[in-house]
Amino acid sequence: MGKIQGVVNAEVTKSLPEADGSNPAYYRLAELYFESPESLQQSMGLDEGQATAADFPNFATGGFKILLGMVG
């Protein structure tokens, strides 16, 4: 994350168990904030963004999902 250009804020969260004590649907959540959707697209198109996306399977052995959204 530290090498991706255009990231204005980043947060990483480790999920807690569900209310019934079961395992959470997602183990970790990484949120990357960009100035705009265009900035996100540009940043992820650069070598650093592509390398980060390509690395996901190396550490997210249980699988992963990429979700996009806008704050507001």
Side-chain angles (χ1 to χ4, degrees):
M1 279 189 302
K3 294 183 179 180
I4 299 175
Q5 295 180 17
V7 175
V8 296
N9 189 27
E11 297 178 350
V12 179
T13 302
K14 182 177 178 186
S15 299
L16 297 174
E18 299 291 339
D20 65 1
S22 64
N23 289 332
Y26 301 101
Y27 180 70
R28 288 211 183 257
L29 173 66
E31 296 183 77
L32 303 180
Y33 296 86
F34 296 83
E35 287 292 329
S36 66
E38 295 80 17
S39 177
L40 162 65
Q41 286 183 321
Q42 180 181 5
S43 295
M44 293 309 292
L46 298 173
D47 290 344
E48 295 85 358
Q50 293 292 306
T52 299
D55 195 35
F56 289 162
N58 294 326
F59 62 88
T61 57
F64 61 90
K65 287 188 180 188
I66 298 173
L67 305 172
L68 303 175
M70 290 183 63
V71 176

